[in-house]
Amino acid sequence: MAITIVTEITNLRRRIPPRGIEQMEQLLSKIATNEQHGENSSYFHGWKAYDNDPYHPNQNPNGVIQLGLAENQLSFDLVEEWITKHPSASICTSEGVQMFRDIAIFQDYHGLPQFRNAVARFMGKVRGGRVSFDPARIVLAGGATGASELITFCLADPGDAFLVPTPYYPAFDRDLKWRTGIQLIPVICESSNNFKITKEALEEAFENAQKSSIKVKGVIIANPSNPLGTTVERETQITLVNFINEKQIHLVCDEIYSATIFSRPNFISIAEIIEEVDCNRDLIHIIYSLSKDMGFPGFRVGIVYSYNDAVVNCGRKMSSFGLVSSQTQHFLASMLSDDEFVDDFLKTSSMRLAKRHQTFTSGLEEVGIKCLNSNAGLFCWMDLRPLLKEPTFEAEMVLWRLIIHKVKLNVSPGFSFHCVEPGWFRVCFANMDDETLEIALKRIRIFIQATDKKSDVPAKKSKQWQKNLRLSFSGGSRCEYEESLKSPSVMSPHSPMSPAQLVQTRT
Amino acid sequence: MKLLSRKATCNSHGQDSSYFLGWQEYEKNPYDEVRNPTGIIQMGLAESQLSFDLLESWLAENPDASGFTRNGESIFRELALFQDYHGLPAFKKALAEFMEEIRGNKVTFDPRNLVLTAGATSANETLAFCIAEPGEAFLLPTPYYPGFDRDLKWRTGVEIVPIQCTGSNGFRITESALEDAYQLARKQNLRVKGVLVTNPSNPLGTALSRRELNLLVSFISAKNIHLISDEIYSGTVFSSPSFVSVMEVLLERNLANTQVWNRVHLVYSLSKDLGLPGFRVGAIYSNDNTVVAAATKMSSFGLVSSQTQYLLSAMLADKKFTKHYIFENQVRLQKRHAMLVRGLKNAGISCLDSNAGLFCWVDMRHLLTSKSFDAEMELWKKIVYQVGLNISPGSSCHCAEPGWFRVCFANMLEETLDLAMQRIKDFVVSTATKSSNTGRSHHLSSKYSARKSLSKWVFRLSFHHDSENER
């Protein structure tokens, strides 16, 4: 036996000579080694700059301010107050520990009944009580990320396609395509009509797919939209429902920003539309989450709500791969069943978002920067086309680098959202305190005004902008930008910063 | 055009099987000491309910972990926002050290090589996505956990080819069985990407021997494939021989930092060792940076709730507590195991010699009316309906031989286990009496007339329970 092992060890060691990367990679799947996770995209350049040099009012006042993170940090005080008053919501406190073992053991993929009931109720409240949701149709998932992937696995086979209006949330490329093997076909939306989804654009996208023999299984929209911050109008939704119904393809509505509406027009959910428009309800599905509306991305609460029984059934089995922690379900069931708290939270959160939005957009307007008119979301869709050297994505990249490295703001460039027109940027406004937002606005003011001074021309003349930009900032050359793209490091929106560091950068 | 995907409409989730029937019957008629004393006792649930008191007293002594506080100050905001897929550093460190402790500190784990996932269910699927293409295969020793059919195959499109193990040698993995499985895969034109073992085994309750581990390492080395070692029961080893992780064997053979080293991956979870299946805490440990990187990104689809990470980082960092918990829990498991073995012996039923897990692998071959899976199903139905025990038939675990059943012992009160043993004894005695009365060794009740559909169940590849993710 000993001799056999020695021989084996020798043989094993002989096999050690280093192999080429290719051979190594064949050992793993294509999914594991391709770039379809999307994290090597230049989109993350800004994140890297932020992570390397994060703003802090005392420790790093000249650091990069994070305006690329769509998080709702405005209303934690309300939640913290609730927690203090409701210790039994936790299964760990002396008030709640009698529930500990039952909850700790609970792994039923139907989810805690009280949790599903509370979520259904909450979703109804967010829609002003105009529609109600059946808890039996709620399927749990690992955050909206998990929910998006799950619904795709249920509806489409590898090679099939979903149509998605541009601009859209960058991570859809990962969530919907990476492991599922489906394709995304853009439905082009343009600024000329405020990026509304048109029937023509839908038909064109569908025909393009047909020409390439690609089977379209559905349309996916975000309502309210990320990055636009606008709610999808009633007429547009009716157009969508008629479109998918005629083609007998699915409509997936990502409504994760539904409680971030802060001004008119009101949010209209697809759940309301199907009450007035005849359609095959087996085609209608909603993605939801508490990450944006409540500000709880860490708790990984994703929901798939489907009107199709087979999808609910199948989705439920798939949710085994990303159930919500029972500890979290129990905690949130308690919180979301508290009607008084929920009503107050929704109202207050909306007011605070409105105020932030107003402060930010008026601050921008003071220096001649316009944003798309928006009524929801945690961000603005900023129009910096006048600042472009030329109307190209190359020029957008140059401007972006300038903003990151000179103005020291991490904003998200339109190209990363697959916007077809260069010059648009998404800027978040709800993930920092008032002072930090003010500093960000100040930096923008200084940047614009400095450019003004040099050109001696009023801020509103767009052509002058472009000339002055070229003259004033020599650091933003294309070459330097491309150099930075060659950096091998992979960054992600999931910052590798420790929580302690995160706390520090928040004042 | 078909409305849904193939995955949505096929049976690869494995939940249409006969195995489900036992669960359904249990749910219709669950035993309760007071309200339903003649109901069905659940012995198909591999969960441990033996040591919650230890967790509860820890909670009482550690109020910070209980609320969203650190040193009395609220960290709610920090936790609510924390979605970094690298995981809470404090939690990964504590988890890595907990895993080391379970292995007697004979191996070390670098927290940077740990990937957190939503339960071991997600960990196994993620590894399959990372290692294999659709249509490629993993070899798994039989009998194996029914959920693997879903976890490894369903959405990944990967295949499983069995490594047949039999009762003749205590279901140990042999060199020839490994080779046979590999050749079987080749004959089916399936490219084998790896072997997956559960150590300790579900449903056997045995820890893999050093010999088997060495065989596996040599095998995967020779074939240039991966080895996944699902060690989620590693903390439940309650008697000797003590648990040996495949990582330990690699170190013993001086294979650290070799290519084989990079092809061995562990799966872990706190569902069994700490009895917290609801919290969805799973982990992948790999020495291969590409696997760690890919799995980390994939974990986005099923991260562990930050609230749960925080609670457990505090709990597992309390070394005094973890040491005590591991030890005391094992003592209780051993006691329960002994109770079950004794009770079954009393009824003339033996079990595979086992030293781990939350169940026994019970030999009821002598109670079969014939040496067939049909007879196994027949016996199983009798046990569910007549005896009132939901146990798991070997066929649902892809066992090559009929007559074996997995019986869990850690998910009920002692009194309930006693009652279950009494029921089995009564059943065996009455069956024996009936046999001797009729003068025949076969006695079939014709109650179960769905014989045709029985064989249909047996040959379905997938078995799984409907509403639980239990193992």
Side-chain angles (χ1 to χ4, degrees), chain A residues 179-427:
Chain A
R179 304 192 306 181
T180 60
I182 69 138
Q183 313 182 52
L184 287 179
I185 294 175
V187 174
I188 308 295
C189 300
E190 290 165 334
S191 61
S192 52
N193 72 340
N194 294 320
F195 298 96
K196 286 208 211 321
I197 305 164
T198 64
K199 184 159 194 271
E200 293 68 38
L202 285 165
E203 292 286 359
E204 192 181 331
F206 189 84
E207 271 158 37
N208 285 340
Q210 303 234 293
K211 273 186 216 142
S212 313
S213 304
I214 296 173
K215 198 197 289 179
V216 174
K217 286 313 278 284
V219 179
I220 178 160
I221 67 163
N223 174 27
S225 158
N226 173 10
L228 302 176
T230 50
T231 47
V232 181
E233 291 169 341
R234 194 173 160 278
E235 290 68 36
T236 308
Q237 292 196 60
I238 291 174
T239 302
L240 276 160
V241 169
N242 288 332
F243 176 78
I244 58 110
N245 201 44
E246 184 220 324
K247 311 242 185 282
Q248 282 296 287
I249 61 177
H250 296 276
L251 180 59
V252 177
C253 298
D254 181 343
E255 298 190 347
I256 73 167
Y257 288 98
S258 48
T260 66
I261 316 299
F262 48 77
S263 63
R264 292 197 175 282
N266 252 340
F267 171 62
I268 302 176
S269 165
I270 195 70
E272 296 172 63
I273 301 289
I274 61 174
E275 293 297 325
E276 27 173 317
V277 176
D278 254 332
C279 77
N280 177 1
R281 288 193 175 203
D282 277 348
L283 302 172
I284 309 292
H285 323 274
I286 298 176
I287 291 172
Y288 190 55
S289 161
L290 297 180
S291 301
K292 310 297 176 182
D293 287 352
M294 297 293 299
F296 297 161
F299 295 165
R300 313 315 303 150
V301 179
I303 304 287
V304 172
Y305 187 92
S306 176
Y307 291 90
N308 181 321
D309 291 345
V311 170
V312 169
N313 228 309
C314 168
R316 191 153 278 144
K317 295 174 177 65
M318 282 192 189
S319 67
S320 299
F321 298 110
L323 289 174
V324 178
S325 166
S326 56
Q327 175 193 18
T328 301
Q329 288 188 53
H330 175 82
F331 168 69
L332 293 173
S334 202
M335 185 185 287
L336 300 181
S337 317
D338 184 340
D339 281 342
E340 206 185 310
F341 165 78
V342 167
D343 290 340
D344 179 53
F345 181 93
L346 290 176
K347 196 174 88 190
T348 309
S349 175
S350 174
M351 265 169 32
R352 292 177 181 179
L353 286 170
K355 185 157 174 260
R356 268 300 172 90
H357 174 262
Q358 167 66 17
T359 305
F360 191 64
T361 49
S362 54
L364 290 177
E365 225 168 309
E366 269 172 37
V367 288
I369 294 180
K370 292 205 180 315
C371 294
L372 182 73
N373 245 357
S374 64
N375 62 326
L378 309 172
F379 33 73
C380 289
W381 190 233
M382 197 167 60
D383 184 359
L384 296 186
R385 288 176 297 174
L387 298 185
L388 292 185
K389 226 164 39 179
E390 58 200 16
T392 63
F393 285 108
E394 217 172 76
E396 180 181 285
M397 294 283 208
V398 169
L399 176 58
W400 182 42
R401 277 207 84 226
L402 252 174
I403 296 174
I404 293 173
H405 294 293
K406 299 292 181 191
V407 193
K408 300 292 210 79
L409 302 174
N410 179 32
V411 300
S412 312
F415 82 85
S416 62
F417 296 88
H418 303 276
C419 188
V420 294
E421 304 170 17
W424 293 88
F425 291 78
R426 189 193 76 172
V427 191

Side-chain angles (χ1 to χ4, degrees), chain B residues 369-389:
Chain B
T369 51
S370 67
K371 202 172 160 182
S372 68
F373 285 107
D374 269 353
E376 178 182 285
M377 277 295 129
E378 203 184 293
L379 175 60
W380 179 55
K381 289 195 89 178
K382 267 190 216 166
I383 295 176
V384 170
Y385 290 110
Q386 279 181 20
V387 188
L389 305 177

